[in-house]
Amino acid sequence: MVLKLYGSLTAAVMRVYCILLEKNVPFELIPVDLRKGENRTPEYLAKQPFGQIPCIDDDGFVLFESRAICHYIATKYAHQGPDLIPQDLEKNALYQQWASVEAFQFETKAVGVVTEAFYKPVFWGQEKNQTLYDEHLDKLGKTLDVYETVLSKQKYLVGDELTMVDLNHLPYAMLLGARGGTNIMQDESRPNVVRWFNELSSRDSWKAVLAKLAEQQQ
Amino acid sequence: MVLKLYGSLTAAVMRVYCILLEKNVPFELIPVDLRKGENRTPEYLAKQPFGQIPCIDDDGFVLFESRAICHYIATKYAHQGPDLIPQDLEKNALYQQWASVEAFQFETKAVGVVTEAFYKPVFWGQEKNQTLYDEHLDKLGKTLDVYETVLSKQKYLVGDELTMVDLNHLPYAMLLGARGGTNIMQDESRPNVVRWFNELSSRDSWKAVLAKLAEQQQ
């Protein structure tokens, strides 16, 4: 049975979609319409008790949380497509370190920016709080200053080899431009961040995610 | 050279301290006084570019982010003390899933509660926002409702064996009572959450962390 990916193309679902393409894993995208409450049905809650997307059903094995799903796919298909998780003790530790940085230092700030610029005014009918927007953007800039220093010495966050932690940044790095009203990922004062982001977002996997997103938004 | 753990006993440092004790790893705690700005010196920033605690120096290998440090210790010392990370593909995937839940569904809400009840009024000289406090507590309750269902069927979050993801909850689960002004971890309407939390917090490792904390606060 082909792997089922449940969800519409939110940031977290795009993250999983990208890794499935990187690892050449056949899958079926099963839409879950949040506006119709399809994430709150008893059938869906039996798979994902928090009512969030995505979750997967891999021949009966059900799993949720996007980063955990990506980790599972990259582990199960380690020898298919690029090797995305280093196994060496210290390299793996640095991979875990940057995975935490992505979650806590990058995405939390990026979510804050996109929330003020887009989710609040467009989705939730609330006013943008400019002070909060500026605070989140300032903190995000400080995070990217650290990235710039690291990426001036090596190609990717963990070293000179691509890992999943680089790719996991893509959904919110893209949304900052598309929905967050900021060109922070293209700021030439951080040339190595620009190089890194442009290389990642030029990958066939990510271009296919964006094509799918454009198709759904038509 | 004995492993060096840098930091004063904040929640994130307590998380690492607990795992070092669980795995019987000798270490030296090196105080980093945030009030004196010891986390912003060039020497410290060379180890931890975000200026946060904790970080470790394990015979020259430097690592930060508390969950990444715990993962490294539990991997390096897999065969010493309890086995805290399942290796089987699906069990490991569920471990990763609950690790994400701990970070995003549990701690973010718990931090919100403790921030309003303690950090804002006591540390930052700001007013407690009761509406935000209530919102965070309500969301935390909904998270613990899911935990209750899971823990009514198995002993721990990943299955019937203890994993690191259970232990990683301890710092904020404790702080909710000590600083958050809520007995939510002892709420008898969720008897299995109470059983789980009481068992975890009765472990020798955690009791030693609390003893160290009490010693520092004298």
Side-chain angles (χ1 to χ4, degrees):
Chain A
M1 198 180 71
V2 70
L3 183 148
K4 292 185 173 119
L5 169 59
Y6 291 85
S8 46
L9 284 188
T10 58
V13 181
M14 285 191 273
R15 174 176 292 127
V16 174
Y17 201 109
C18 177
I19 299 299
L20 285 164
L21 293 177
E22 284 282 346
K23 301 299 275 184
N24 304 311
V25 178
F27 67 100
E28 180 186 1
L29 182 64
I30 300 184
V32 176
D33 194 327
L34 305 181
R35 289 164 302 185
K36 291 184 187 161
E38 290 176 355
N39 58 319
R40 309 295 321 173
T41 63
E43 293 75 22
Y44 190 76
L45 288 169
K47 292 186 197 300
Q48 214 300 1
F50 296 99
Q52 297 174 338
I53 54 173
C55 76
I56 61 165
D57 184 333
D58 184 17
D59 208 8
F61 179 62
V62 173
L63 192 68
F64 53 89
E65 285 289 339
S66 66
R67 293 170 182 85
I69 297 171
C70 290
H71 193 93
Y72 167 72
I73 294 163
T75 306
K76 181 169 176 180
Y77 300 99
H79 304 295
Q80 184 171 313
D83 189 9
L84 296 175
I85 306 178
Q87 292 306 312
D88 165 79
L89 176 70
E90 293 189 358
K91 276 271 180 192
N92 186 265
L94 293 171
Y95 168 83
Q96 298 286 342
Q97 169 187 288
W98 285 105
S100 276
V101 171
E102 179 270 311
F104 299 117
Q105 318 273 7
F106 177 81
E107 183 158 308
T108 51
K109 281 73 176 176
V111 166
V113 169
V114 177
T115 295
E116 295 304 329
F118 183 71
Y119 300 140
K120 273 192 184 176
V122 177
F123 270 4
W124 306 341
Q126 297 174 13
E127 261 184 67
K128 176 184 180 183
N129 182 324
Q130 189 66 41
T131 308
L132 277 181
Y133 179 87
D134 293 343
E135 277 177 19
H136 291 305
L137 200 56
D138 181 62
K139 287 181 183 169
L140 184 63
K142 292 194 166 70
T143 295
L144 293 179
D145 287 342
V146 175
Y147 281 35
E148 177 62 21
T149 304
V150 171
L151 293 169
S152 71
K153 297 174 197 155
Q154 55 194 44
K155 281 181 73 182
Y156 301 101
L157 289 173
V158 180
D160 284 325
E161 303 294 328
L162 174 79
T163 69
M164 197 163 61
V165 85
D166 300 297
L167 296 169
N168 279 352
H169 286 75
L170 276 170
Y172 265 100
M174 179 274 285
L175 284 170
L176 283 165
R179 301 298 195 192
T182 168
N183 72 344
I184 195 166
M185 299 307 298
Q186 297 291 349
D187 185 337
E188 286 297 341
S189 73
R190 299 186 194 93
N192 288 288
V193 171
V194 174
R195 166 191 59 75
W196 171 76
F197 173 59
N198 286 347
E199 188 200 312
L200 295 174
S201 53
S202 302
R203 291 180 74 84
D204 288 344
S205 61
W206 187 248
K207 288 194 284 189
V209 173
L210 294 187
K212 182 74 181 174
L213 185 65
E215 179 194 312
Q216 289 205 348
Q217 288 176 342
Q218 274 178 351
Chain B
M1 196 180 73
V2 72
L3 184 147
K4 292 184 172 117
L5 169 59
Y6 291 86
S8 46
L9 285 187
T10 58
V13 181
M14 285 191 271
R15 174 176 292 129
V16 173
Y17 200 109
C18 176
I19 299 299
L20 285 164
L21 294 177
E22 284 282 347
K23 301 299 275 183
N24 304 311
V25 178
F27 66 100
E28 180 186 0
L29 182 64
I30 301 185
V32 177
D33 194 325
L34 305 182
R35 288 163 303 183
K36 291 184 188 160
E38 291 177 353
N39 57 320
R40 310 293 323 172
T41 64
E43 293 75 21
Y44 190 76
L45 288 171
K47 291 186 197 299
Q48 213 302 2
F50 296 98
Q52 297 174 338
I53 54 172
C55 76
I56 61 165
D57 183 333
D58 184 17
D59 207 11
F61 178 62
V62 173
L63 191 68
F64 54 88
E65 285 289 340
S66 65
R67 292 170 182 86
I69 297 171
C70 290
H71 193 93
Y72 166 73
I73 294 161
T75 304
K76 181 170 177 181
Y77 299 99
H79 304 294
Q80 184 170 313
D83 189 10
L84 295 175
I85 305 179
Q87 293 306 312
D88 165 79
L89 176 70
E90 294 190 356
K91 277 271 180 194
N92 186 266
L94 292 171
Y95 168 83
Q96 299 286 343
Q97 169 187 288
W98 285 105
S100 276
V101 171
E102 180 270 310
F104 299 116
Q105 317 274 8
F106 177 81
E107 184 159 306
T108 53
K109 281 72 178 175
V111 166
V113 168
V114 177
T115 296
E116 294 305 328
F118 183 71
Y119 300 141
K120 274 192 183 176
V122 178
F123 270 4
W124 305 342
Q126 298 173 12
E127 259 183 68
K128 175 185 180 184
N129 181 325
Q130 189 67 40
T131 307
L132 278 181
Y133 179 87
D134 294 341
E135 277 177 18
H136 291 304
L137 200 55
D138 180 61
K139 286 180 185 170
L140 184 64
K142 290 192 168 69
T143 296
L144 293 179
D145 287 342
V146 174
Y147 282 34
E148 177 62 21
T149 303
V150 170
L151 294 168
S152 70
K153 296 173 197 158
Q154 57 196 42
K155 281 181 74 180
Y156 301 100
L157 287 174
V158 181
D160 284 326
E161 303 295 327
L162 174 80
T163 69
M164 196 164 61
V165 85
D166 300 299
L167 296 168
N168 278 352
H169 285 76
L170 275 169
Y172 265 99
M174 179 274 283
L175 285 170
L176 283 165
R179 301 298 194 191
T182 168
N183 73 345
I184 196 166
M185 299 307 297
Q186 297 290 349
D187 184 337
E188 287 296 341
S189 73
R190 299 187 194 90
N192 288 288
V193 171
V194 174
R195 163 190 59 76
W196 171 77
F197 173 59
N198 286 348
E199 188 200 312
L200 294 174
S201 53
S202 303
R203 292 180 72 85
D204 288 345
S205 60
W206 187 247
K207 286 193 285 188
V209 173
L210 295 187
K212 182 75 181 172
L213 184 67
E215 180 193 312
Q216 289 207 346
Q217 287 175 341
Q218 271 177 356

